[in-house]
């Protein structure tokens, strides 16, 4: 740039380096300079590259409206210039924004079209990005196995083309799937490898993501102190570099951690902060997750109408945007809250039946789901509005789900190699301890 002050590609690379190092303000300033040069020089190709880079920077900060505006402007210019490779890349980016907004059907259509274009162009990087993002859509849709398949295909390509940033991103994504499958040690190693690679690249956004997921894995194992260290390191980094979409995720996880330690007031504080950010950046999955945990806090306080309200709002969003991964939890939680509030018993029973008929893709939640099904059946067995025969049936079913919940925890523990981690998993997570120690009464 010192030798060629008008060299737009160099300025864009400098801006992107600032961005990946977390210096967004400096990156944006360099992009503005590049844009001014492109306009002054009537450099349409340079302007297109600048607009796309602006879009990526806004997307990384979680500012989706601004990102989409720049992508759309860049797309119009790419079509005008007949730059097919740029069209494909922008279509991929627009598909990712649809995914972040939970417009999953529209996202998949754009990503598949972009993948087809990348295949025709022979663009390996384009193929890798599309495969990764298609995996993300499947994950959001509740199909972790399909997501993992696409992530691994993408990982094979980024290794060949030596895209280390892409490799770090994919390792974190794969680690999330391993965690949900109960392969926690494998998950932690995978995400730790991702963080180390991102640290070498000084990619602070990816470091932040990895730290958050390392915290989630520690929380899954009941190692709360280590989870807290990871979460607050991630939160500090997210706040430092202005990553709102990461900040909301970490705050939710801190809220979950506080729920596990029964610090209900701080849990509510963290979750409400996260919910506010999710609403601001239009993170629908984040909105749903925060409402689920806020409902749990209100149910614990016996504030059942508020608990029901949060769950109904969350279920409405889930249905509208096909967020199937969360639907089974919502239906189960709502059925219990309705029963505790002594209202809409028939509707609660219908929700319970619908939950039982749903497929559980996240094996990590199975013990909690089965335990809540046991609770619901117990509530039904004490209902005055059903026959004694139905009461017996529900009492028996309650015992069945109690046994299933306990067995699910023991099965999950068997996957953990370390005896120390296994002990923590069984004894340091409140609900696991509750399930394991529960006495199973004789079937009626």
């Amino acid at each position: 740039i010192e030798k060629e002050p008008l060299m737009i590609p160099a300025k864009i690379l400098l801006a992107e380096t600032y961005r990946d190092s977390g210096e967004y303000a400096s990156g944006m300033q360099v992009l503005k300079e590049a844009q001014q040069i492109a306009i002054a020089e009537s450099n349409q190709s340079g302007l297109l590259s600048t607009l796309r880079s602006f879009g990526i920077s806004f997307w990384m900060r979680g500012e989706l409206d601004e990102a989409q505006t720049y992508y759309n402007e860049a797309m119009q210019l790419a079509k005008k210039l007949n730059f097919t490779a740029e069209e494909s890349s922008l279509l991929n980016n627009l598909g990712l924004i649809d995914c972040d907004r939970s417009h999953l059907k529209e996202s998949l259509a754009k990503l598949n079209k972009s993948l087809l274009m990348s295949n025709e162009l022979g663009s390996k990087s384009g193929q890798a990005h599309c495969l990764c993002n298609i995996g993300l859509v499947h994950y959001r849709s509740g199909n972790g196995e399909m997501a993992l398949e696409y992530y691994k295909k993408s990982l094979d390509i980024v290794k060949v083309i030596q895209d280390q940033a892409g490799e770090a991103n994919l390792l974190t994504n794969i680690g999330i799937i391993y965690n949900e499958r109960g392969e926690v040690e494998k998950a932690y190693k995978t995400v730790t490898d991702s963080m180390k690679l991102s640290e070498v690249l000084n990619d602070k956004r990816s470091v932040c993501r990895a730290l958050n997921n390392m915290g989630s894995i520690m929380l899954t194992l009941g190692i709360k102190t280590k989870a807290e260290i990871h979460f607050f390191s991630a939160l500090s980094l997210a706040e430092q570099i202005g990553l709102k979409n990461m900040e909301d995720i970490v705050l939710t996880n801190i809220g979950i951690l506080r729920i596990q330690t029964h610090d209900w007031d701080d849990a509510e504080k963290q979750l409400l902060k996260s919910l506010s950010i999710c609403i601001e950046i239009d993170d629908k999955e984040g909105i749903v997750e925060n409402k689920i945990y806020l409902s749990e806090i209100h149910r614990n306080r016996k504030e059942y109408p508020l608990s029901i309200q949060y769950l109904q709002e969350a279920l409405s969003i889930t249905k509208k945007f096909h967020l199937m991964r969360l639907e089974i939890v919502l239906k189960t939680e709502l059925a219990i809250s309705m029963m505790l509030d002594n209202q809409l018993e028939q509707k609660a029973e219908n929700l319970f039946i619908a939950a039982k008929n749903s497929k559980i893709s996240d094996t990590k939640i199975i013990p909690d789901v089965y335990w809540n099904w046991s609770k619901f059946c117990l509530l039904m067995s004490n209902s005055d509005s059903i026959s004694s025969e139905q009461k017996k049936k529900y009492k028996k079913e309650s015992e069945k789900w109690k046994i299933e919940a306990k067995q699910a925890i023991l099965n999950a523990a068997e996957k953990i190699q370390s005896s120390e981690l296994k002990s923590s998993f069984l004894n340091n997570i409140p609900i696991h301890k509750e399930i394991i120690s529960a006495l199973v009464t004789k079937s009626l």
Side-chain angles (χ1 to χ4, degrees):
I1 293 169
E2 287 176 5
K3 290 183 179 180
E4 298 288 345
L6 303 182
M7 187 183 285
I8 292 171
K11 284 188 177 289
I12 290 172
L13 284 171
L14 177 60
E16 289 174 349
T17 307
Y18 276 129
R19 179 193 69 206
D20 291 345
S21 301
E23 298 177 56
Y24 278 90
S26 298
M28 287 294 195
Q29 182 55 45
V30 176
L31 281 180
K32 286 174 185 173
E33 292 169 11
Q35 185 180 29
Q36 289 167 358
I37 292 167
I39 292 169
E41 297 290 313
S42 298
N43 185 336
Q44 298 289 282
S45 175
L47 179 59
L48 175 56
S49 298
T50 307
L51 292 170
R52 181 165 59 83
S53 193
F54 265 123
I56 293 169
S57 295
F58 279 115
W59 172 77
M60 284 186 169
R61 288 171 61 91
E63 297 175 42
L64 301 186
D65 288 340
E66 291 83 352
Q68 188 154 16
T69 297
Y70 277 101
Y71 287 151
N72 286 335
E73 193 175 340
M75 180 65 87
Q76 289 175 8
L77 188 53
K79 286 180 177 178
K80 178 182 171 184
L81 298 172
N82 199 26
F83 283 4
T84 310
E86 283 292 339
E87 280 187 59
S88 175
S89 176
L90 288 162
L91 198 56
N92 174 69
N93 293 347
L94 287 164
L96 190 53
I97 286 184
D98 277 339
C99 180
D100 285 347
R101 293 189 191 280
S102 300
H103 300 154
L104 302 183
K105 186 177 177 182
E106 296 89 336
S107 174
L108 206 54
K110 288 186 178 75
L111 292 170
N112 278 320
K113 185 177 178 182
S114 178
L115 179 60
L116 183 62
M117 293 170 75
S118 294
N119 290 340
E120 290 171 351
L121 291 163
S123 170
K124 292 294 183 184
S125 63
Q127 291 167 24
H129 291 151
C130 289
L131 289 166
C132 174
N133 292 335
I134 290 170
L136 184 58
V137 174
H138 284 298
Y139 173 72
R140 294 272 175 88
S141 302
N143 193 338
E145 291 303 311
M146 185 69 77
L148 185 59
E149 190 178 315
Y150 276 96
Y151 290 155
K152 286 182 174 179
K153 286 179 183 177
S154 181
L155 184 62
D156 288 342
I157 295 173
V158 297
K159 283 182 175 179
V160 169
I161 63 176
Q162 298 183 333
D163 176 4
Q164 290 183 305
E167 184 178 347
N169 179 57
L170 282 155
L171 287 172
T172 294
N173 290 352
I174 290 168
I176 291 169
I177 303 292
Y178 286 151
N179 186 33
E180 293 192 351
R181 294 201 316 193
E183 300 174 46
V184 283
E185 289 154 307
K186 193 175 180 181
Y188 194 74
K189 182 186 182 307
T190 303
V191 178
T192 302
D193 287 345
S194 169
M195 188 191 71
K196 288 176 180 176
L197 187 53
S198 297
E199 283 180 330
V200 169
L201 297 169
N202 195 30
D203 185 342
K204 292 182 180 178
R205 176 180 174 273
S206 293
V207 171
C208 183
R209 272 194 82 217
L211 282 168
N212 172 67
N213 284 294
M214 289 164 73
S216 292
I217 296 162
M218 288 294 103
L219 193 58
T220 298
L221 288 165
I223 306 173
K224 300 183 187 71
T225 304
K226 203 164 184 181
E228 186 166 15
I229 290 168
H230 286 322
F231 287 146
F232 277 97
S233 296
L235 182 62
S236 174
L237 197 51
E239 290 173 339
Q240 176 193 329
I241 59 181
L243 295 176
K244 289 184 180 178
N245 53 346
M246 277 308 308
E247 190 179 344
D248 82 65
I249 294 169
V250 181
L251 286 168
T252 300
N253 283 332
I254 293 172
I256 297 167
L257 174 64
R258 296 295 182 246
I259 286 174
Q260 284 201 11
T261 57
H262 294 168
D263 186 350
W264 304 104
D265 290 343
D266 193 54
E268 183 178 28
K269 177 183 171 185
Q270 303 299 334
L271 292 167
L272 285 172
K273 268 201 267 182
S274 176
L275 180 60
S276 175
I277 296 171
C278 288
I279 291 169
E280 180 188 345
I281 66 173
D282 198 23
D283 176 2
K284 293 182 180 64
E285 187 167 0
I287 291 169
V288 170
E289 287 191 353
N290 281 301
K291 286 179 182 286
I292 289 172
Y293 290 111
L294 285 164
S295 79
E296 183 179 343
I297 292 169
H298 288 293
R299 192 166 73 202
N300 176 266
R301 293 172 178 163
K302 299 188 179 353
E303 297 166 350
Y304 303 125
L306 271 174
S307 175
I308 290 168
Q309 181 184 328
Y310 272 122
L311 290 168
Q312 286 176 330
E313 290 168 356
L315 188 58
S316 175
I317 296 169
T318 298
K319 286 179 176 177
K320 185 175 180 181
F321 296 99
H322 309 289
L323 301 174
M324 307 307 292
R325 194 172 66 86
L326 303 168
E327 195 170 8
I328 192 168
V329 173
L330 274 166
K331 286 176 178 176
T332 302
E333 297 278 350
L334 185 53
I336 291 173
S337 290
M338 284 179 167
M339 287 297 294
L340 288 169
D341 197 35
N342 297 315
Q343 64 159 294
L344 303 172
E345 188 173 289
Q346 185 59 58
K347 188 170 183 181
E349 190 174 23
N350 290 340
L351 282 165
F352 171 65
I353 292 166
K356 283 200 300 179
N357 290 332
S358 302
K359 182 184 175 184
I360 302 176
S361 59
D362 180 354
T363 56
K364 189 176 68 174
I365 68 170
I366 287 176
D368 303 57
V369 170
Y370 286 173
W371 186 245
N372 280 330
W373 287 356
S374 174
K375 284 182 179 178
F376 177 82
C377 290
L378 189 61
L379 289 168
M380 286 297 292
S381 73
N382 293 320
S383 170
D384 294 329
S385 64
I386 61 175
S387 68
S388 58
E389 199 60 40
Q390 287 175 306
K391 287 182 181 183
K392 285 182 181 180
K393 175 192 150 196
Y394 270 113
K395 181 72 173 175
K396 191 172 182 179
E397 192 174 350
S398 175
E399 297 300 338
K400 171 199 160 188
W401 290 121
K402 198 182 290 185
I403 294 167
E404 293 281 355
K406 184 173 181 178
Q407 191 56 53
I409 289 175
L410 295 175
N411 290 343
E414 281 303 306
K415 295 181 181 178
I416 302 171
Q417 302 299 312
S418 162
S419 56
E420 185 182 346
L421 294 179
K422 188 179 294 188
S423 175
S424 177
F425 177 78
L426 292 171
N427 301 306
N428 291 345
I429 298 172
I431 192 168
H432 290 184
K433 199 171 180 180
E434 185 182 356
I435 294 170
I436 292 293
S437 62
L439 291 174
V440 180
T441 60
K442 291 181 181 179
S443 298
L444 296 178

